[in-house]
Amino acid sequence: MSRNGSGRRVLVSGNWKMNHTHYEAIRVVQKLAALLRAAPLPDGTDISLHPSFTSLRSVQTALESDSVPIALGAQTCHFEDGGAYTGEVSAEMLSKLNVRYVIVGHSERRALFGEDDEVVRLKLDAVLRHAMTPILCVGETLAQREAGMAESTVSGQLIAALKDRGPEALGSIVVAYEPVWAIGTGLTASGDDAQAMSAAIRRELELLDGDVSRSMLIQYGGSVTPANAGELLACPDVDGLLVGGASLDADKFVSIARSGR
Ligand code: 13P
């Protein structure tokens, strides 16, 4: 598969974080459905939507009852299938809601909720165990970038999560490069920076499995907007986008998803 050719697959994911009640979520999904009915996405472009847990069932019903071409996603999960973990939601529970993608290791989870590489790996195991696709987030802080440690930080996160996994598991993982300094700040990595790190990630994946690495999707995330999405998706090793703030608005999100062609 050529990386930027017509056979290219693109995945644009909307991470709603802790935004939108289930009422608001349904309204946004209805708007998305109308936009996609009026003009379908380009061939090869897929969208996933990651609402909060309280909206998952409503969004699932809205998507399925209208056959809206959007995959359901979640923002995290627990690594155990069940048990005394007050407040947590398991991967098994998500899979029964037809969740297809689960974000794992988002930098907000790592920084604010103490998720270390070991927990991230266990969560990845749980998502794969229930036949869903993990979106594994990696990325460096500003201090790490300024210290010249951006690549080594990302490579350490990748190795911790992915080492000793076979081709089948690797082939069903999406990697999202989200530089922490670009998240919610309005600062976006330039196309050159996004491409350089995505290529470094692909080299790291090649070491794990040469064949599989070529078809693995690498997303970029961090202050993506309709204005910068085209430049980012034009990068040969950027296969999609993980969008926060701009995905809360149906028009902006669809406009971003259309930027890949
Ligand atoms: P923003 O697009 O709001 O910067 O968020 C990016 C992000 O963290 C997506 O997971």
Side-chain angles (χ1 to χ4, degrees):
M1 185 180 66
S2 64
R3 296 232 55 80
N4 254 356
S6 54
R8 185 189 190 211
R9 259 181 80 211
V10 169
L11 175 65
V12 177
S13 303
N15 174 10
W16 282 356
K17 308 190 179 183
M18 199 173 72
N19 294 293
H20 283 337
T21 65
H22 74 286
Y23 296 116
E24 292 160 343
I26 291 169
R27 269 201 298 277
V28 176
V29 170
Q30 286 168 341
K31 179 106 190 265
L32 287 168
L35 290 169
L36 296 178
R37 237 186 341 262
L41 290 175
D43 274 353
T45 298
D46 293 321
I47 299 189
S48 67
L49 213 50
H50 302 247
S52 58
F53 287 138
T54 53
S55 299
L56 273 178
R57 177 70 175 146
S58 317
V59 170
Q60 180 211 4
T61 308
L63 293 177
E64 288 179 3
S65 62
D66 252 353
S67 301
V68 184
I70 295 178
L72 189 59
Q75 300 176 16
T76 185
C77 65
H78 197 271
F79 51 80
E80 294 288 356
D81 287 345
Y85 300 98
T86 302
E88 292 293 320
V89 172
S90 73
E92 182 178 23
M93 293 168 179
L94 296 177
S95 74
K96 297 290 184 227
L97 286 174
N98 288 350
V99 164
R100 169 128 177 251
Y101 296 96
V102 184
I103 298 170
V104 175
H106 191 281
S107 61
E108 287 152 15
R109 304 286 325 167
R110 293 181 193 255
L112 304 173
F113 302 99
E115 284 187 16
D116 58 16
D117 281 342
E118 197 183 326
V119 169
V120 169
R121 189 172 171 96
L122 289 170
K123 290 190 173 196
L124 219 67
D125 292 342
V127 174
L128 292 169
R129 194 161 65 236
H130 292 284
M132 297 178 289
T133 299
I135 297 181
L136 168 67
C137 295
V138 295
E140 81 286 0
T141 61
L142 186 59
Q144 287 164 331
R145 175 158 281 259
E146 285 176 348
M149 291 170 51
E151 272 194 31
S152 59
T153 301
V154 166
S155 134
Q157 291 168 337
L158 283 172
I159 291 167
L162 302 181
K163 72 166 184 259
D164 301 329
R165 292 194 191 274
E168 200 182 325
L170 278 179
S172 46
I173 292 171
V174 173
V175 176
Y177 168 53
E178 295 209 307
V180 178
W181 48 270
I183 294 177
T185 57
L187 296 173
T188 319
S190 64
D192 285 349
D193 282 345
Q195 168 55 27
M197 186 60 89
S198 301
I201 290 172
R202 186 129 8 234
R203 283 195 297 277
E204 202 67 60
L205 299 175
E206 265 165 31
L207 296 176
L208 295 164
D209 190 300
D211 283 344
V212 176
S213 67
R214 278 189 285 284
S215 60
M216 286 178 73
L217 298 184
I218 301 176
Q219 296 178 314
Y220 166 83
S223 298
V224 173
T225 65
N228 57 32
E231 181 191 355
L232 292 160
L233 285 174
C235 301
D237 283 290
V238 175
D239 309 306
L241 300 166
L242 182 51
V243 187
S247 72
L248 297 170
D249 178 282
D251 287 298
K252 285 188 191 159
F253 188 47
V254 168
S255 156
I256 289 169
R258 292 196 200 289
S259 306
R261 291 292 188 285

